[in-house]
Structures are given as C-alpha cells and as structure tokens.
Amino acid sequence: MSEKKPLPLLRARSPSRCPVCGQGSYSRAGIHPQCAARQADEKRKVRLKQEALTAAEETPTFPAVASAPWQRSCPKCRALQHVRTKVCSCGHTFAVQVRPPAGEGGCA
Ligand SMILES: [Zn+2]
Ligand SMILES: [Zn+2]
C-alpha cells in the first residue's frame, strides 16, 4: 500500500503568470482564455467610451427641439414651426407629406 502521492507533473514546470489576474497559467499563451477575453472586453469598452464621447462632441445641439407632436423644428433656422406650416419664415420649405386624395372634401 503506497500512500505516496504522485507529484503533479505540471508543477515541475514553472508556470507563466497571467498578466491580467496574476495567477499561474498553464496555457501556452500564459494567459487565461477568460482573462484574455476580459482584457479584450476592457479595451473594447474604453474604445466604445471614447467613441461615445467624440460622438457627443460632434452631435450638434439643437436649441429648439419639437416637444409637441404638432411642432417641428426647421432644419435651417431651427425655429419651432407648426406641422401645418409649409414654408418657414426663413424661407425653408418643409417636405410636404403627400396624402392620397381620397376623403379630401368628402364632407361639406
Ligand atoms: Zn488570468
Ligand atoms: Zn426656418
């Protein structure tokens, strides 16, 4: 009866340490797959954050935003207009929604 435990062969090799979590890693790359994924995710998060910041900077701020369904802002002078207004005071012509003629003047 032998109570001798076999020495773990892997321990013989000095494991490379995972640069992410600092734990020994026996994988060939020396980094845990999940740690590599986490590292890539962190990089992606940073990049997304930077992209969001630049996007926020580039997005023009409209001082007048239509807050009511019957309002719309002129893309030229940004003034709020009634949706029925076809031509803005600045001269911008709104795109007219083409409606089918059916029902027009139906009831007198
Ligand atoms: Zn790790
Ligand atoms: Zn206008």
Side-chain angles (χ1 to χ4, degrees), residues 54-105:
T54 36
E57 281 172 10
E58 283 171 1
T59 307
T61 45
F62 285 83
V65 177
S67 53
W70 59 86
Q71 284 181 328
R72 65 178 161 191
S73 56
C74 172
K76 205 170 173 185
C77 69
R78 292 173 187 174
L80 280 181
Q81 304 288 335
H82 195 273
V83 287
R84 286 198 175 184
T85 309
K86 284 170 186 163
V87 181
C88 178
S89 52
C90 75
H92 174 80
T93 310
F94 289 105
V96 183
Q97 288 179 351
V98 183
R99 285 189 191 177
E104 199 172 300

Side-chain angles (χ1 to χ4, degrees), residues 18-23 25 31-32 34-35:
C18 171
V20 177
C21 65
Q23 305 272 341
S25 169
I31 181 170
H32 301 118
Q34 70 268 26
C35 287

Side-chain angles (χ1 to χ4, degrees), residues 33-50:
Q34 70 268 26
C35 287
R38 202 177 66 186
Q39 200 178 38
D41 202 46
E42 301 259 324
K43 277 185 193 167
R44 203 180 58 209
K45 258 192 254 177
V46 170
R47 204 182 65 220
L48 283 175
K49 204 175 171 185
Q50 282 174 342

Side-chain angles (χ1 to χ4, degrees), residues 2-7:
S2 170
E3 288 182 8
K4 232 182 183 178
K5 287 179 192 166
L7 284 169

